[in-house]
Amino acid sequence: MEGEINKACGLDIHKHFVIVTILSRSGEKQLQRFDRDDDGILNLKNWVTSEECDVVACESTSDFWVPIYESLIDHLPVIVGNARDMKAFTHKKTDKIDSEVIAQLALNKMIQPSRVFPKKHREFRSYVRLRLTLVRKRTDIKNEAHAILSSEMLHLGDVLTDIFGKNGRAILSGISSGKNIDQIIESLSPNVRKKAGQIREILNREISQSAAIRLQMCLNIIKHLDEEIEILEREIFNYAYRNHKHEMEILMSVPGIGELSAATLIAEIGNFKDFSSGDKLASWLGIVPNVYQSADKYHNGRITKRGSKVARWILTQIAQAASRKKNSRLKEFFNRKKKSIGYAKAIIALARKIATIIWHLITSDEMYEDETGYEKGEVQKRKIVETEIFSVDERIKIISGIFAIMGKEDREST
């Protein structure tokens, strides 16, 4: 923000209320408390605008700041600062920075603004993050199913590469529903039926009633999660291809990057041109080492791990996939690094390299070309499916259902 700031407003945002302090350069101070609801946020906006504040500042506390930011941004500048950076100025390690300190920092231009994505892009990112949460929940349930099978000494992994694939689920469903071995084998694909002898040997034992019930529950939950994840993926790809089709194609030209990883990178990074270089992007993602200097000697520590955890995770997954691509310069880079610094650090080094590569590709509007002659397959074309629009009554019904579930959980916990 250019020019001198004569009056600044600091917000200490909590889940149910907001503490607001307005400081002027003359030393005048005003403090009020507002409820964090529709009426409270409206009253906050009216008070701050009537006082003609030059700037409003707050911490990026969870997503509590979002509705307040949306109500104020059209009327005056709003700075959303990184909570860790702001706490460093007060040397407080545990207590939250109060609104007066935030206002003082804003008055003296000591808050570095965080990047705030447009509302539509934040919604897109929320789909990506919810999908990741559901995928991890599904993995937990699959691990539980593996534990049940192991306890019953049913080692299906010896004959199936994926026990939750089409054939694996047919076997699991048959076991939990009480089908005999012949019926189960008949429901399998011809390639798997060739292993009928091994399958009979594994299934030729009685499963306990408890294990059958628990296994069926796991299968039901996995099926439900699959359906919800599919809905989320449809929303993710609809937005990505409508708004970032060219960026998706550029990213998917890089070894190791598929549709989901490309969409995730776009959701978490946003506008690549916000960064002046690939190194700046890597630093923002937290995949650069901490650097310490003492007596003219530099010491590199662990990576900073600042920025988006999801972006770091997907870049690590991409790096692991790229390290296995044949005839790829990225694999050659990984192999060289692995010899000197080991596998884990080499993966992080490759992730950082990929981050700088995709920044260059996006900002220069170029497709990835591997100098070793590696050519990636044709980019998959996806059909865009129209999004279902919920009416106001349907939205109210959804919210009522959530409160009913929460109430039931509270009663059960007591």
Side-chain angles (χ1 to χ4, degrees), residues 127-139:
Y127 286 141
V128 171
R129 291 183 175 182
L130 178 57
R131 180 197 170 275
L132 177 59
T133 299
L134 295 186
V135 168
R136 288 173 173 170
K137 296 294 183 184
R138 183 177 63 184
T139 301

Side-chain angles (χ1 to χ4, degrees), residues 225-240:
L225 287 174
D226 284 340
E227 294 170 352
E228 299 303 323
I229 290 170
E230 184 179 351
I231 293 172
L232 280 173
E233 289 180 355
R234 185 168 67 242
E235 296 293 335
I236 290 167
F237 292 131
N238 280 354
Y239 182 91

Side-chain angles (χ1 to χ4, degrees), residues 86-119:
M86 295 165 71
K87 282 181 172 62
F89 286 106
T90 61
H91 306 289
K92 294 182 179 180
K93 302 298 183 183
T94 56
D95 295 339
K96 291 185 177 180
I97 299 175
D98 60 19
S99 60
E100 182 177 349
V101 173
I102 296 174
Q104 189 68 50
L105 294 174
L107 194 65
N108 293 283
K109 298 183 180 180
M110 298 175 68
I111 301 176
Q112 181 66 33
S114 298
R115 297 171 69 232
V116 178
F117 297 153
K119 183 178 180 180

Side-chain angles (χ1 to χ4, degrees), residues 169-200:
R169 294 195 188 195
I171 294 175
L172 294 176
S173 179
I175 292 173
S176 59
S177 61
K179 291 183 179 179
N180 60 48
I181 297 177
D182 291 332
Q183 290 175 318
I184 293 174
I185 292 176
E186 188 63 29
S187 65
L188 305 178
S189 64
N191 288 334
V192 179
R193 283 204 296 268
K194 293 177 183 179
K195 303 177 182 179
Q198 292 176 271
I199 295 174
R200 286 180 184 278

